[in-house]
Every structure is written in structure tokens, then in C-alpha cells.
Amino acid sequence: MGDSSLNGASGDVHNGSHLSVSDSFEIPTKLRTQTDKDVIRLIGQYLRSLGLNLTTERLIEESGSCLDHPLTEKFQTHVMNGEWLKAESDLEELKSLIDEDVPYAIAEMKFLLLEQKYLEHLETGHVLEALQCLRGEITPLKHNTNRVHELSSYMMCSTGEELRGMSRWDGKGLISRQKLMEKLQGFPSSCDVTSRRLQTLLSQALELQTDRCLYHNISSTNSLESETLFVDHLCTKEQLPYDTVQVLNDHSEEVWFCRFSNDGQKLATGSKDSTVIIWDVDPETLELRHSRTLEGHCYGLSYLSWSPDDIYLIACGRDNCPDLWVWHVETGNLRVKMTNSPEDSLTTCAWHKDGKKFVTGGTKGQFFQCDLDGNVLDSWEGVRVQSLWYRNDGKTVLASDTHYRIRGYNFDELTDFNIIEEDHEIRSFTCDDTGRLALLNVGAQGLHLWDLEDKILIRKFQGISQGFCLIHSCFGGTNQSFIAHGSEDNKVYIWHIKREMPVAVLTGHSRTVNSVSWNPVYPSMLASASDDGTVRIWGPSKQYRVKLQNRVPLFLSKFSCLAPGGCFKN
């Protein structure tokens, strides 16, 4: 193949003389190191996967390197040509090259070959040959019996279309054989390059870079298609919820609590003015609209909890409030007002994962498990509860108490056990989606991150002055990689979960920030509630909000000047 087929021209002209590839570069006939050979093989495999076969052949010729072991090349050729007897014979020769630590490899590879052979016979109407393959070749392998039974059921298909639909198979031809080769190449070998190995290495590099990025908060998957390979992955602080997008002033008193719904479509806020306001979320603008106000509470509202399906909202009061309200959010109707006893304290709650019951309690020395009608199903005496959480197992309730502990309580077995203990009062706590990590607001100490499974303190977050105010923190951002926390100095602090010092400090409130909530669906959106009577909605800085709204990949902005004529434009 000449140079023109590679470059699209007969050659470049320099100082009036013809310049060829061989004149410009000294092409090594022998690669120096094993790394050189490996890189050539990776590039060659990628080029061949794109169908650039002539380019691949030229690469092999110039490098003096083979992309595959001769046996592997022969095997691949026979598979792609549908020469199944030859492919089986090749497989026997390849035995010595297959990883011995995978004893089932040869049997599985042979099974996959015969499965393709069987399906192709069926599709082309060669029923007798298909039957012979099934009975005489596949069944004697005594491998994957369940799949053999499934394959035998395909004999009932009357058309090729019915067969492809029932088996979810692409049919005889290039596509299905390529997929077969990808499966076969997945088995460890001492000579082969694993299928899509270059893409895998690049994806791993991207994953490592994003994992180390302190500001990475993009909800899309970190695929190679959405990133550039020209520079390392890099996010900036301004891509976090860093700017005030909106200030909500509808409450007439201090705002004590805020919480996004599980589907990210609504925000609930509770205030000293004894009202709960439900807000609708606009994910495009990151702004909220007043939907309805829930009234009739006798106390200020300091804790709110959405049911798992977001149909109901529980509202709890502060201090010694003995009442609890369960609201139907969509209709605005009160499902039930619960008052078990005037001596009770119902200031915190947590939903069971089925959404049909919940636990509630306070600092009067007991907490209850109740149904949606407010009926007490069980009670636990002698526990002064500060905060509650239902574990994902649906059996265990976590409760922080006045003895600086978090203990587990199992209502089914009537057992309780200690999990972790602090040196100071645990004012509130929350868990991540896995239920393994717990974020504790510890009086005079600040925020502590615990692993509840290993029962170890992972990290103490630095940078704030912590008093004894009741402040509700949260996990949030993409993959819950961040921690947000209000403060008595009127600021919102954001930490990366792997760093002790804050990565961002948000200013704007004029009094203590009591509660923060990170939208669980839209990671660019954060809410904070303050004693200044406002709720602030935070989003990325303006330039990044515009990009999000226009769905412009953020990385393109980095390269607007890389190419003449504006190959990359904002």
C-alpha cells in the first residue's frame, strides 16, 4: 500500500523536493522493548476494531510486530468464517496457552462455539444438523445444563425471526460472530490481547482521574465518549453548587429544616412560623416554585421526612413537641395527626423502606413504631432519642441517644446493641444510601464520619467552629462524594468525602444555617435553610449553569483555541 492511501495525497512538498514517510522517519524494523510491542498490539487491535484493516496491515509491516499469536489469528479467522470443525481443532491447539487457573475455560469456549454452530444451523433450516450438534456434541460436554435445555427449546421455532427473538441472538453473520469472538477473547491467555483492551485502559485512567478530582460533580457517566484524551480530567470549584441561584422568602420566621424528595422533584421546608412549604423543582434552571403551604401545626417545624415513594411527608416539632403530622403531599390533605400522650416528645422520625410504617421519638425516654394511621405498633422504653434512621435491612432502627451513642434496635427480635460511641453529644446524624457511612453532628466537635460496619471513625472534618446548635448535614453530589453542613457563622461548608478540609465555603446567609439538603437526582443543586428566614438554592457558577442548560459538554470549552479555524468552539 502506497503513502497516498495513508495520507490522502501523493506526498508533502518541502523545499521543492518530494518527502516520503521513509525519508522523514527511520522506522524501526524491530521494536526495542516489550512495552513497545504491547503498545503496538493495543493500537493495532483498536484500528482493526474500527475496520481500518489496510492501516493495520501497514502498522504490522512497519513495526515488524504481530498483533496476535499465529494460533490465535488462525482461530479467529475460522470463527469469523464459520468453519466450526477447524475452529474446534484450533481450540485444542490453544489449550497450552489458556490460563491454567481457569479450569472451565476450554469447556466454556467449546460450548460457545457449538452454541453458535447450533443456532446457525437452526436459522438456515438445517434441522437435522442442528439436532446432531445438540445431541452429539453439546450435550456430551455436560456443561451448563440449564443453557442446554434452553437451546433445545429453540427447536420449536418455525422461522428465523422467531428464533432470533426468542434467543435474543443477532442471527448468522458478522455481528453475532464478532460478539462470539469478544466472549472467547475474555478468557485469560498467555498470548492474547483482551478484547477492547485499549478502551479499558483509557477508561481506567479516566476513572482514576475523576476519583482524584476534588470538584467532580457531573451526573453523566464518565465514558470516553464524553471526555477528551488530550488533557487530564479537571473540574473547578465553580462546578459545585457554589453560587446562589435563588433566595426563597415565603416563610415569615426562622427556617429550621429543608429536605428534597427522593425523586428530586420537590423540596419541603419547615419553619418557626409553624408552616411547611412544598416547592416544585425546575431541573433546567435549578429554581423552585411555591407549590403549596401545609398549615395547622401547633409548633414550629424542625424535622421533615419524605416517605420512600414521596407520597407522604412527616412533620415534627422542636424540643418537647408531643405531636406529629403525616401529610399527603399531592393533595395537601392531612393523613393523620398523631398525639400518643401529652408527655411524649416526637421531634424526629424515620421511614421503613416499605413506606407503610415509621419510627418516631424524642428526649422523653421512649420511641415508637407506628403505621400510617398513627397507630403505635411497638414502643421502646428508656431511650432518650436525638435522631433516628431505619437501616436498609428493614429490621434495625439506629438511634442516637443522650449517652453519646448510636445503638441498633430490632423490633422483631426485641434486641438492642451498641454500634458507636462519641465523647460528646450527637446532636443529629444521617446515613448515606448504602447505610454503611454515618455523618454525625457532634456538639462542640463538628462533623465526624463513621463506618458503621467496621465501627471505626474515618474522618473528622475541619474548618468550622462548632457550638451546640442543632444543625442537619447531608451527603450529596455525584456518587455522594461530598458532605454539606450549615454553620453558626452563617455559612455553608462543602467537603469532599475523602478530604478533611472544605473544598468550598458558601456565603450569603446572614444568620445561622440550620439545615442543608443536596438534591439526590440533580447533583448540581443544593438547598440551605437559615435563621434569617430564607432558603437559598445553590448551583454551579453562571457559566456552568448555561452549559448545563444548553447540554454543551463542559470539556469542549477547554479546546476552543486548539485548532486553526475554530475546530473546537463553545
Side-chain angles (χ1 to χ4, degrees), residues 51-105:
L52 300 176
N53 296 321
L54 293 178
T55 305
T56 306
E57 291 302 320
R58 183 61 185 271
L59 177 66
I60 295 172
E61 177 186 342
E62 292 184 347
S63 66
S65 174
C66 293
L67 299 188
D68 295 306
H69 190 283
L71 284 178
T72 303
E73 283 196 345
K74 184 172 65 169
F75 177 60
Q76 179 170 330
T77 299
H78 291 152
V79 170
M80 296 305 295
N81 291 339
E83 300 176 276
W84 306 118
L85 288 177
K86 293 181 179 179
E88 288 181 59
S89 177
D90 297 336
L91 193 56
E92 290 297 318
E93 295 184 62
L94 284 167
K95 273 186 177 180
S96 61
L97 301 175
I98 302 299
D99 193 338
E100 295 179 357
D101 294 332
V102 189
Y104 65 89

Side-chain angles (χ1 to χ4, degrees), residues 90-217:
D90 297 336
L91 193 56
E92 290 297 318
E93 295 184 62
L94 284 167
K95 273 186 177 180
S96 61
L97 301 175
I98 302 299
D99 193 338
E100 295 179 357
D101 294 332
V102 189
Y104 65 89
I106 290 295
E108 177 67 12
M109 292 173 77
K110 188 170 183 178
F111 185 89
L112 291 172
L113 282 177
L114 294 173
E115 178 184 57
Q116 178 80 11
K117 176 182 176 180
Y118 167 75
L119 291 172
E120 290 193 8
H121 278 318
L122 274 185
E123 186 187 38
T124 53
H126 300 155
V127 179
L128 291 179
E129 289 85 345
L131 187 60
Q132 171 58 33
C133 178
L134 181 66
R135 290 180 175 177
E137 299 179 80
I138 295 178
T139 302
L141 288 178
K142 297 181 180 180
H143 183 80
N144 200 347
T145 305
N146 291 336
R147 179 59 175 164
V148 173
H149 292 160
E150 189 176 348
L151 291 173
S152 65
S153 68
Y154 300 156
M155 295 290 294
M156 305 302 294
C157 296
S158 56
T159 65
E161 183 178 0
E162 184 182 356
L163 170 67
R164 292 189 294 273
M166 186 175 178
S167 62
R168 297 181 298 278
W169 176 62
D170 294 295
K172 179 180 179 179
L174 180 64
I175 295 177
S176 66
R177 291 175 183 176
Q178 282 179 334
K179 289 183 177 180
L180 171 62
M181 273 309 306
E182 288 185 7
K183 291 180 182 178
L184 294 171
Q185 289 171 340
F187 291 93
S189 165
S190 61
C191 62
D192 290 337
V193 180
T194 305
S195 176
R196 298 177 58 83
R197 181 59 179 163
L198 182 59
Q199 292 95 317
T200 299
L201 291 173
L202 293 174
S203 295
Q204 290 172 349
L206 175 60
E207 182 179 350
L208 178 62
Q209 290 176 19
T210 54
D211 186 56
R212 291 178 175 177
C213 179
L214 291 180
Y215 308 115
H216 185 71
N217 191 38

